[in-house]
Every structure is written in structure tokens, then in C-alpha cells.
Amino acid sequence: MDTARYGRDFASLQFAATTPGILELVIANKGRLNAATEAMHRDLAQVWRTVDLDDAVRVVLVRGEGSNFSSGGDFDMIERMIEDETTLLRVWKEASDLVYNLVNCSKPVVSAIRGSAVGAGLAVALLADVAVAADNARILDGHTKLGVAAGDHAVLIWPLLCGLAKARYYLLTNKTLTGAEAERIGLVAVAVPDAQVIEAAFDVARTLAAGSGSAMRFTKHALSNWLRLAGPSFDTSLALEFLGFRLADVREGLAAAREKRRPRFGGVPDAS
């Protein structure tokens, strides 16, 4: 497996291949809880097309560097989206590509979720075919707290995974779930103690890599039709999210996030 090629083509991400057939994709942004920079957001959108065509890859295991998965889009990228129309439109297209390219990638994807998983990082974590989370992981969609609609992946897959009532509750209130609670409601497949997450994810990846490649690909393709059926709802949510980047609330949401305080939308403090 040519991990050097992946490193050249998607330089914001890290790659390894210590197990035959398994490509390890690592989200890394040291000191920033692996927040997604503009380059990383672009690479996370496009890498799945290359994986899809790479015969050497049977399974992808995606994780964050160290003890966190990803804290979502970094503040600098969000500020540029607010201020610059060209950036906003480009990231909108990338956000759509990230979701659809991952859903349409023929190779199974396993995610290993430790620590914080938020926003765009959470989209990758939960769109994986098998999500393995630490029981103390902190899962948060994050959009409504920022002051924009829950776009990205959430409207596409949360109602299918955990039901509409739970999706409404967590996406509207923006409350954090632990990995254990996420497993209980069906948002992730497996929750294990934090120290066991990586090995548990590799166990799943090795099982998938050892199976019939065509059976894995065809089963994933058929199961993904459930997500494709929700495509119009996802497209609407994404458009409404990016509309929000042109409204006043997102400026307050970003200021609150930078200052590590609760936002005050309409003068009312966040009670979460």
C-alpha cells in the first residue's frame, strides 16, 4: 500500500499501513484537539475517492492523533467563512463532498473515537460503517451552539441511527453525549473503555479485511441506500447551515467559543 502517495496528495492528514489491507487515516492538529483546518477539511472531503479506487485498500480505520478524535472546524476557518463569500461557497461544496464521498466509498470504514468528537470531525466518525467509541468520549454536534443549523452529517444519519426523538433532543439542545450513552441509543456501534478503543477498532477492521471484498462492498452499497434516500433532507440542512454563516448569530457563537463562555443569542444566555 502506497502510504507515501496518500501523504503527498493529502498532506494535511497522516497515513499508516501496519496491517495488510488496512489503511490507517489519522486526523492530527497538535495543540488544537485535532481541529480541521481548511486544508484538512478539503482533504477529508476528497481522500475517499482515492481510497475507493485503490485495490490495495480493503478497509480504512480513521482516528484522531492522541487522546481526541477531532474538535471540528478550527476558528480561523469559521471566521473566513463568515467574512469571505468565496471561502463560504468552497467549504459548502467540500462539506457536501465529504459526506457523499464517504457514503459512496466502496471500502468499509471503521472509526475509533476517543475524547472530543465535534462538528466536521464527528461527521467522519459517525458516517463510518462501524463506529467504536470510548465509553467516556464526548460527542457533540456543536452547530446550534455556534448559531447555525445542524448541517454537515446530522440530519442525514442521526434520525436513522438513534430515532427522530433523540436526534431532535440532542441536535436542538446541543447537549454532549458520552460514548456509553451514544452506544445505548444506537448512535455508535460499540463503546469500550478508552484504553481499548484503538485495539477494538482494529479488531473490527481486521475482521472486515479478512472477509470477501465483494461481499463487503456490495453490502455497504446496499445499506448506504438508506442514507441516499435522506439526501434531499441533508442537502436542505447543509444549505440552511451555510445560510446561517451570513446571519448575526454565528458571530456571537464564534465569539463565545473563542472566549470559552456561553453564547447569548438574542440576549438570552445559553443554559446548556
Side-chain angles (χ1 to χ4, degrees):
M1 191 182 302
D2 188 0
T3 55
R5 175 171 68 98
Y6 281 94
R8 289 192 303 270
D9 293 347
F10 307 102
S12 70
L13 303 171
Q14 297 179 7
F15 301 91
T18 58
T19 304
I22 300 175
L23 176 66
E24 190 175 356
L25 187 161
V26 182
I27 302 170
N29 188 351
K30 192 172 183 179
R32 303 288 295 274
L33 298 178
N34 301 328
T37 62
E38 288 187 51
M40 192 185 298
H41 192 268
R42 179 185 63 249
D43 287 348
L44 284 171
Q46 300 304 323
V47 67
W48 308 107
R49 291 180 176 178
T50 300
V51 168
D52 182 59
L53 297 174
D54 189 347
D55 291 337
V57 177
R58 296 176 67 85
V59 180
V60 178
L61 187 147
V62 58
R63 64 174 179 85
E65 182 182 47
S67 58
N68 287 281
F69 192 85
S70 172
S71 60
D74 75 1
F75 294 156
D76 291 341
M77 180 176 74
I78 293 170
E79 187 165 22
R80 280 191 290 274
M81 290 166 63
I82 294 170
E83 300 295 340
D84 180 58
E85 181 178 291
T86 300
T87 300
L88 182 71
L89 292 174
R90 187 188 72 249
V91 176
W92 181 12
K93 176 64 164 59
E94 290 171 358
S96 178
D97 287 345
L98 189 157
V99 169
Y100 283 122
N101 288 345
L102 181 46
V103 168
N104 291 325
C105 178
S106 62
K107 312 301 174 60
V109 179
V110 179
S111 60
I113 307 168
R114 300 181 63 208
S116 297
V118 182
L122 183 61
V124 176
L126 295 186
L127 287 169
D129 301 288
V130 179
V132 179
D135 52 15
N136 64 349
R138 299 176 300 281
I139 294 172
L140 176 69
D141 180 71
H143 284 77
T144 57
K145 190 170 187 177
L146 182 62
V148 296
D152 281 0
H153 70 298
V155 170
L156 182 80
I157 198 169
W158 282 52
L160 186 61
L161 293 176
C162 64
L164 188 57
K166 289 294 187 184
R168 283 169 167 165
Y169 177 71
Y170 283 107
L171 296 177
L172 291 172
T173 65
N174 204 62
K175 291 185 180 297
T176 302
L177 293 90
T178 64
E181 178 65 6
E183 182 193 39
R184 188 187 72 81
I185 67 175
L187 197 63
V188 301
V190 180
V192 297
D194 182 73
Q196 299 175 21
V197 170
I198 303 300
E199 185 53 36
F202 266 107
D203 280 347
V204 174
R206 285 189 288 265
T207 297
L208 299 178
S212 162
S214 60
M216 298 298 161
R217 292 193 300 273
F218 295 166
T219 300
K220 172 173 179 173
H221 181 84
L223 286 170
S224 293
N225 278 336
W226 288 102
L227 301 181
R228 295 184 187 100
L229 288 170
S233 295
F234 163 66
D235 294 339
T236 299
S237 72
L238 195 64
L240 292 172
E241 174 192 348
F242 278 73
L243 172 62
F245 284 102
R246 279 294 188 250
L247 304 180
D249 280 353
V250 72
R251 295 179 183 274
E252 166 60 16
L254 179 59
R258 286 187 183 279
E259 297 164 14
K260 294 182 168 49
R261 61 173 174 81
R262 293 177 176 177
R264 298 181 63 91
F265 300 125
V268 180
D270 173 33
S272 62

